[in-house]
Amino acid sequence: MGNVFGKEKPLKEQLRENKRMITRAIRELDRETRSLEREEKRLTIEIKKMARENQMKAVKIMARDLVRTRQYVTKFIEMRSQLQGCALKLQTVKSHAAMADAMASTALAMKKMNKAVDVPSINKMMAEFERENMKSEMMQEMMGDAMDDVMENDEEEEDRIVGQVLDEIGIDMSGEIPNAPEIGLATPTSNTPLAEGGGKVAMGVGDIGGSGGGTNDSGG
């Protein structure tokens, strides 16, 4: 469909005009259908009136008009349904055209994007990233090994200092620690023996009692 100057209209404009024409035709059909329905009601009333007056010839003529009117109403309803189907087809074509335009725009954008992307540069960047990543991992492993060595040296130094301190206070960690007495320690008294270094020696209750008993016996 072209205009006065022979220039072809865009598809959207053609679809818009066709849809407008179909909508106008549907409105005309609705108007005619309502007019025929009013005429049908009027004829029905006239037929009943003439039948009461026993004018059968007029009743037959108006009955023929009533049948014809009902047939036209049915035809107008069918035409309206067909026009609605055409409107739906136009809407489908419009949707397809919009989808085609969107796909064309998307394809153009993708083409521009592919042109803008430099594949060799991306490959070079990925190779450089992989190389730097390997360097980073090797550096982390080296730092971890160095930290492990430092921690081991610290533990050896700690053990040496602890041994030196224990030697200074006269405690031998390599010897066996004597078992504690089964009964609690005795309270310090004047009879409690002292160790060589001046410290008090732990004694069991039985030992204290035995020493006390020996004192009593000697006193006796």
Side-chain angles (χ1 to χ4, degrees), residues 120-130:
S121 177
I122 293 177
N123 291 332
K124 182 179 179 181
M125 180 180 63
M126 293 300 295
E128 185 176 358
F129 173 79
E130 185 178 0

Side-chain angles (χ1 to χ4, degrees), residues 50-63:
M50 292 297 176
R52 293 191 192 98
E53 294 176 359
N54 201 14
Q55 297 182 8
M56 301 307 297
K57 188 175 181 179
V59 169
K60 290 181 179 180
I61 295 173
M62 287 188 290

Side-chain angles (χ1 to χ4, degrees), residues 1-211:
M1 182 182 294
N3 55 12
V4 179
F5 300 100
K7 186 178 180 180
E8 187 177 358
K9 293 183 179 180
L11 180 60
K12 291 183 179 180
E13 186 66 24
Q14 295 179 15
L15 292 174
R16 190 180 298 110
E17 289 182 358
N18 291 332
K19 186 177 181 181
R20 191 180 300 116
M21 292 171 59
I22 291 173
T23 303
R24 188 182 302 114
I26 289 175
R27 284 200 299 266
E28 291 291 335
L29 286 174
D30 290 339
R31 189 180 300 110
E32 293 295 330
T33 301
R34 288 193 296 268
S35 178
L36 289 175
E37 287 176 351
R38 288 194 296 269
E39 182 66 17
E40 181 182 356
K41 292 180 181 179
R42 188 187 66 80
L43 288 173
T44 302
I45 293 172
E46 291 293 331
I47 289 173
K48 290 180 181 180
K49 181 180 178 181
M50 292 297 176
R52 293 191 192 98
E53 294 176 359
N54 201 14
Q55 297 182 8
M56 301 307 297
K57 188 175 181 179
V59 169
K60 290 181 179 180
I61 295 173
M62 287 188 290
R64 192 179 301 116
D65 291 338
L66 180 60
V67 171
R68 190 180 299 111
T69 301
R70 289 178 176 176
Q71 289 176 353
Y72 277 113
V73 169
T74 303
K75 288 181 180 180
F76 285 168
I77 292 174
E78 291 177 355
M79 292 173 63
R80 188 180 190 280
S81 177
Q82 292 175 357
L83 287 175
Q84 284 182 342
C86 292
L88 291 175
K89 289 181 180 179
L90 287 176
Q91 185 63 35
T92 303
V93 172
K94 184 178 180 181
S95 300
H96 289 169
M99 184 176 64
D101 292 339
M103 292 178 66
S105 300
T106 304
L108 182 60
M110 292 176 65
K111 185 177 179 180
K112 291 181 179 179
M113 185 182 299
N114 291 331
K115 286 183 178 180
V117 174
D118 188 3
V119 178
S121 177
I122 293 177
N123 291 332
K124 182 179 179 181
M125 180 180 63
M126 293 300 295
E128 185 176 358
F129 173 79
E130 185 178 0
R131 183 170 58 253
E132 295 299 328
N133 189 26
M134 291 178 63
K135 288 182 180 179
S136 177
E137 291 180 355
M138 292 176 62
M139 187 179 298
Q140 289 180 2
E141 290 180 359
M142 293 173 62
M143 291 180 65
D145 295 339
M147 291 297 296
D148 291 340
D149 294 338
V150 170
M151 294 300 295
E152 289 178 359
N153 293 333
D154 290 342
E155 291 178 358
E156 293 176 358
E157 184 67 18
E158 290 174 1
D159 293 339
R160 187 182 64 79
I161 293 173
V162 170
Q164 183 178 356
V165 171
L166 294 177
D167 290 339
E168 290 178 358
I169 62 176
I171 298 177
D172 186 9
M173 294 296 293
S174 62
E176 295 182 355
I177 300 174
N179 295 327
E182 297 180 356
I183 304 176
L185 296 177
T187 56
T189 59
S190 59
N191 295 325
T192 303
L194 299 177
E196 295 179 357
K200 296 178 180 180
V201 179
M203 297 181 64
V205 175
D207 296 337
I208 296 172
S211 60

